[in-house]
Amino acid sequence: MLVFLDTEFTQFEAPELISIAFVTEDGREFYAENNGYTRDKCSGFVREIVEPLLGRVQGAACSPKELGERLTEWFKGMG
């Protein structure tokens, strides 16, 4: 099965994850936003283009720990 991945991160040097999305070839989806990234480390592009798009998916924002837990559970559901 193919799984497609898309991420947004703060900058190229020492990046911190902002959001992550997976879509499987059969249409299953996962999306989460990390509310623990360091906003001061964001590139100009991220501040201008990415950050205004955050918060549009209800319930997507979570702590880094919760993001990992959610993602683990999503992958467990693939079996």
Side-chain angles (χ1 to χ4, degrees), residues 13-26:
E13 290 184 31
E16 291 181 39
L17 181 69
I18 296 174
S19 66
I20 189 165
F22 291 91
V23 178
T24 65
E25 62 186 326
D26 64 0

Side-chain angles (χ1 to χ4, degrees), residues 3 6 16-17 21 23 32 35 38 65-66 73 75-76 78:
V3 180
D6 183 37
E16 291 181 39
L17 181 69
V23 178
N35 62 14
T38 308
K65 182 178 188 269
E66 185 179 1
E73 288 304 310
F75 274 116
K76 282 182 181 179
M78 293 291 162

Side-chain angles (χ1 to χ4, degrees), residues 30 32-35 59-73:
F30 175 88
E33 296 175 0
N34 172 18
N35 62 14
C62 57
S63 71
K65 182 178 188 269
E66 185 179 1
L67 193 154
E69 292 167 352
R70 288 182 185 184
L71 187 56
T72 298
E73 288 304 310

